[in-house]
Amino acid sequence: MLIPRNVPITVRLTLFFSVAMAIVLYSVSGLLYQTLRDQLNTKDVNELRSTLQIQKEIAGTISERQGPQEQWQNELFEFIAEQDRLSLRIISPDGKIWSQSKNMRVPEANYPAPTTRFNYSSWRHRDGDHHEKYLITATTFTLKDKELWTVQAALNVSRNNEIIENYWARMQIAAALAILLFAACGYGLARRGLQPLRVISRQIENINVEELHTRLSTERWPSELVVLATSFDSMMTRLEASFAQLTRFSSDLAHELRGPINNLISAASVTLNQPRSPAEYQETLEAIVEEGERLSRTISSMLFLARADNSREPLKKETLNSETEFRRLTGFYEILAEEKNITLTQQGALTFAADPLHFQRAMANLLSNALHYTPSGGHISLNARRENGWLYFSVTDNGEGVASEHIPHLFERFYRADESRSSAENTGLGLAIVKTIAELHGGKVSVESALNKGSTFTLILPDTPI
């Protein structure tokens, strides 16, 4: 049954319940009607058959006696006179009507051909608005003088038909009233059954920005709504975390942009207060350029994250070799590592498919982060391995390490484990970009760290066919 989606569930359930009950009631009514009709018809047929059988026995018995031929016809009609539904017609061997009942309505020509076996048919009489139905049959009697007499019998079954039709009409009325009653009961039961859903709807309507901590699963719900409440709570948990992250992101973004902008304004204002030497102007311009580059890096990183969040950052996968990519990275950071007296090593040679620019950017952020937190004389290792359908690219250092309370937040935007939130080299978005790049490739990131022992950051990508 096609029902528009905007039809209320209560109405749907009521309609389904009513249709089901209508099918059941009318099926039962039809079955009872047909059963009653068959039983009454069988009773009438048996009555007609037994009547003819009795008359045949009477005729045979009388014909054996001494007496006029009219005697068995007279006794036969005496028996018929006692039955108002049965009418007979006796036809002599020469084809003439010997006698017939006063209530005989069926014409002689409408009877079936007489046979020794019982065979009947139906015949209807119409007189204006008056209708009658008869069961008719014809048979032959052979008397002692071998004369073949024909008896035509008609049984009026109109009264039984009236009983059946009245029964059917009453059943229809009773079924219609029962369907209306069941529909009303079904509507009430449906509304009562859906009451918990209306309670959930009212609770959801009361949730606002200040009520994101509201949960539905704390109350007892019917088993059918437990899954809904649990799913809603999971959504609210994610929404609350996302809202908190957005709030923190907005605050961190304002803080990150305010610092460079204030530095730009202060440097320009101080320089313009009085005449300066060319060297002082050059120094001011260098400071402005440095702050401008910092702003540019922050905005560029934010733009990349925004494009990735909206699935607008395209991936152009190519066949890469980890040994070649690691060599390119160590070559770029070799000078900085030598200045800090840090040793760079690499291990593992894998062929894999990834976006080369994004892969280089993610590994560069991990290596830059390791160089920043590894003291002089330290060691940083780049490793690649393939395991269980995944590719693991890790950067391991023996630097400062990260306290356990900071590890869950390391890949959040603008999060820093140290206090220097205004560091010019660190925008607080490097590890967040690594995580985004991993997710763009269908992978993830992980970190293992211990204070004063070092850290291992791992970029995990799926091992897709090349």
Side-chain angles (χ1 to χ4, degrees):
M1 181 181 296
L2 297 178
I3 301 178
R5 293 188 176 183
N6 59 344
V7 175
I9 296 179
T10 304
V11 176
R12 289 169 181 257
L13 294 176
T14 302
L15 183 59
F16 289 146
F17 185 70
S18 301
V19 170
M21 292 307 302
I23 293 174
V24 172
L25 287 175
Y26 281 109
S27 298
V28 173
S29 300
L31 179 62
L32 293 177
Y33 169 79
Q34 189 61 41
T35 302
L36 180 60
R37 175 180 287 276
D38 292 342
Q39 289 179 347
L40 290 177
N41 184 70
T42 302
K43 175 179 176 295
D44 292 334
V45 171
N46 290 334
E47 182 179 349
L48 184 61
R49 179 190 290 112
S50 62
T51 298
L52 285 182
Q53 182 64 31
I54 291 173
Q55 299 314 312
K56 183 179 290 188
E57 293 174 358
I58 293 175
T61 301
I62 294 176
S63 66
E64 296 295 331
R65 300 187 217 159
Q66 296 296 327
Q69 291 183 342
E70 292 85 358
Q71 184 178 355
W72 75 270
Q73 291 97 331
N74 294 333
E75 291 189 15
L76 177 62
F77 279 100
E78 289 177 2
F79 174 79
I80 298 303
E82 300 175 359
Q83 303 187 41
D84 58 346
R85 295 200 306 155
L86 186 64
S87 56
L88 292 177
R89 176 184 291 122
I90 300 176
I91 301 175
S92 64
D94 57 3
K96 295 180 180 180
I97 298 176
W98 181 271
S99 61
Q100 67 178 14
S101 303
K102 294 180 180 180
N103 59 347
M104 172 61 75
R105 295 180 181 274
V106 185
E108 180 182 351
N110 291 106
Y111 276 89
T115 60
T116 56
R117 298 181 61 184
F118 178 77
N119 185 25
Y120 76 97
S121 61
S122 299
W123 184 82
R124 295 181 183 274
H125 172 70
R126 293 178 176 82
D127 184 9
D129 294 334
H130 182 68
H131 301 273
E132 290 182 337
K133 180 182 178 182
Y134 291 85
L135 297 182
I136 59 177
T137 186
T139 187
T140 57
F141 293 168
T142 302
L143 300 182
K144 66 179 180 179
D145 53 4
K146 306 302 181 182
E147 293 180 339
L148 195 65
W149 292 74
T150 300
V151 176
Q152 294 177 340
L155 183 66
N156 190 338
V157 294
S158 303
R159 188 177 302 171
N160 289 346
N161 283 347
E162 291 177 4
I163 293 174
I164 294 174
E165 296 304 325
N166 289 336
Y167 168 79
W168 178 247
R170 292 179 181 179
M171 286 294 292
Q172 300 306 301
I173 296 174
L177 294 176
I179 291 172
L180 292 177
L181 178 61
F182 285 134
C185 294
Y187 183 81
L189 292 175
R191 281 191 58 84
R192 183 178 181 86
L194 293 175
Q195 179 63 25
L197 191 59
R198 289 191 289 273
V199 174
I200 289 180
S201 299
R202 287 195 295 269
Q203 291 188 8
I204 293 176
E205 288 177 358
N206 295 329
I207 296 177
N208 51 39
V209 176
E210 289 76 19
E211 301 291 336
L212 292 179
H213 61 276
T214 301
R215 298 293 181 268
L216 299 179
S217 59
T218 55
E219 300 186 25
R220 298 184 61 182
W221 302 108
S223 58
E224 294 82 0
L225 296 181
V226 170
V227 175
L228 175 63
T230 303
S231 300
F232 179 82
D233 289 348
S234 299
M235 181 196 70
M236 289 300 299
T237 299
R238 295 191 299 271
L239 183 61
E240 185 178 17
S242 299
F243 188 81
Q245 183 179 1
L246 180 61
T247 303
R248 186 168 60 250
F249 176 79
S250 300
S251 176
D252 291 340
L253 178 60
H255 179 84
E256 292 295 330
L257 295 181
R258 181 182 62 182
I261 292 175
N262 286 341
N263 292 339
L264 289 174
I265 295 174
S266 298
S269 299
V270 171
T271 302
L272 293 175
N273 282 339
Q274 57 184 356
R276 302 288 180 177
S277 64
E280 291 175 325
Y281 282 119
Q282 183 176 357
E283 182 180 351
T284 301
L285 290 175
E286 290 175 354
I288 291 175
V289 169
E290 181 181 355
E291 293 298 332
E293 290 177 346
R294 178 182 173 188
L295 272 176
S296 178
R297 288 194 302 271
T298 302
I299 294 173
S300 176
S301 298
M302 289 170 52
L303 179 61
F304 171 81
L305 293 172
R307 288 172 61 86
D309 288 343
N310 290 278
S311 301
R312 292 185 297 176
E313 186 64 25
L315 280 181
K316 298 179 181 179
K317 291 187 176 182
E318 298 179 8
T319 301
L320 305 178
N321 183 275
S322 62
E323 189 174 14
T324 303
E325 298 301 319
F326 286 169
R327 191 180 303 115
R328 188 176 301 168
L329 281 171
T330 55
F332 183 79
Y333 285 97
E334 185 176 6
I335 296 177
L336 180 59
E338 289 179 354
E339 289 179 356
K340 298 188 66 174
N341 192 25
I342 296 176
T343 303
L344 298 179
T345 62
Q346 66 180 66
Q347 184 178 359
L350 302 178
T351 301
F352 61 97
D355 186 300
L357 294 179
H358 288 162
F359 179 79
Q360 279 288 328
R361 186 171 189 178
M363 295 304 297
N365 285 350
L366 294 180
L367 182 55
S368 175
N369 186 73
L371 287 170
H372 183 75
Y373 291 102
T374 301
S376 177
H379 176 267
I380 298 176
S381 173
L382 283 72
N383 299 279
R385 59 186 174 88
R386 177 181 279 111
E387 183 178 328
N388 297 328
W390 292 92
L391 303 172
Y392 296 83
F393 303 97
S394 58
V395 178
T396 303
D397 64 69
N398 58 351
E400 302 175 6
V402 182
S404 58
E405 64 268 18
H406 296 298
I407 290 179
H409 308 287
L410 286 179
F411 295 98
E412 295 178 5
R413 299 172 187 183
F414 294 116
Y415 186 83
R416 296 184 180 88
D418 58 13
E419 299 293 332
S420 65
R421 298 179 63 87
S422 60
S423 171
E425 296 84 5
N426 187 5
T427 63
L429 295 174
L431 294 179
I433 291 175
V434 174
K435 178 183 178 183
T436 299
I437 291 174
E439 292 173 349
L440 284 175
H441 285 78
K444 53 188 176 180
V445 290
S446 66
V447 58
E448 298 177 0
S449 184
L451 280 177
N452 302 319
K453 292 184 179 180
S455 305
T456 297
F457 287 82
T458 304
L459 175 65
I460 306 173
L461 304 180
D463 188 7
T464 56
I466 300 175

